[in-house]
Amino acid sequence: MHPESDNNISVSQSVPILFSYPAIKYSSRGRDWLRFCPATDMKTIFILEDETGIRDALQLLLSFEDYDVRSFSTIAAFNNRDHSVVPDVFILDVMMPDGMGTDVCNELKNAPETAGIPVIIISAHAKAENVTQSCKADAFIAKPFDIDDVLVKIENLINSDTTDAEK
């Protein structure tokens, strides 16, 4: 860049208030701009949850923990997702307006391309033993839940998956 240019570019670690993405900060013609760049090693989580408040809270909190989060409010929307994006973890609610999250779990576990991806089932109504009998979920979380418990389960599943892949 030329010294006489009025464009200055610097790399910022992150902008924690809005995003946990690294950002490129630059000034041009007296205005400051930020360009957010998702980290390439960012883990991806897909959430299937019909309750807007829970879905939005999970998406926001997990985004702050440097996860790329994609959420779906119906099974139909989930099934129409971009299948070229493969998540590191699925989080599925049991009772959905257009079906059961346990059926989605079984479909994911039976499909070769998603069989090895951990699935967490969340529910306010189902009990852990009922869920484990009806689907092959890797973990169960009862609603209401503590976000720290959710984070621990996600990290454990991702780390156990990484450890298994290294063996």
Side-chain angles (χ1 to χ4, degrees):
M1 184 169 289
H2 300 289
E4 62 271 15
S5 169
D6 91 333
N7 291 331
N8 297 315
I9 297 177
S10 64
V11 176
S12 165
Q13 289 298 320
S14 65
V15 179
I17 296 171
L18 298 175
F19 300 96
S20 295
Y21 295 154
I24 298 173
K25 179 180 178 182
Y26 62 95
S27 298
S28 177
R29 298 186 182 110
R31 295 179 69 173
D32 290 334
W33 301 87
L34 289 176
R35 179 170 183 257
F36 295 99
C37 311
T40 56
D41 61 343
M42 186 179 273
K43 301 294 184 184
T44 302
I45 298 175
F46 283 2
I47 299 171
L48 177 59
E49 169 63 64
D50 61 320
E51 293 181 43
T52 305
I54 293 173
R55 187 177 61 249
D56 291 348
L58 278 171
Q59 183 157 3
L60 181 66
L61 294 167
L62 293 171
S63 295
F64 284 154
E65 294 294 323
D66 290 330
Y67 290 105
D68 175 18
V69 183
R70 309 201 184 180
S71 62
F72 308 90
S73 60
T74 65
I75 292 172
F78 179 81
N79 288 336
N80 290 325
R81 71 190 184 278
D82 178 0
H83 289 269
S84 69
V85 178
V86 180
D88 296 282
V89 175
F90 290 103
I91 298 176
L92 311 175
D93 186 16
V94 171
M95 298 192 64
M96 297 296 296
D98 56 346
M100 298 294 291
T102 51
D103 293 338
V104 174
C105 176
N106 286 330
E107 290 170 17
L108 293 169
K109 290 299 188 176
N110 290 329
E113 56 277 356
T114 56
I117 300 172
V119 175
I120 299 173
I121 292 284
I122 58 175
S123 180
H125 309 289
K127 294 187 177 175
E129 57 271 6
N130 295 345
V131 170
T132 56
Q133 291 173 359
S134 63
C135 74
K136 304 171 191 171
D138 298 279
F140 175 81
I141 297 172
K143 293 179 190 175
F145 51 80
D146 181 328
I147 191 63
D148 291 328
D149 293 339
V150 175
L151 292 171
V152 167
K153 287 197 187 216
I154 290 169
E155 285 298 317
N156 288 342
L157 288 170
I158 288 174
N159 290 335
S160 71
D161 190 43
T162 304
T163 305
D164 293 342
E166 292 172 355
K167 290 181 181 178

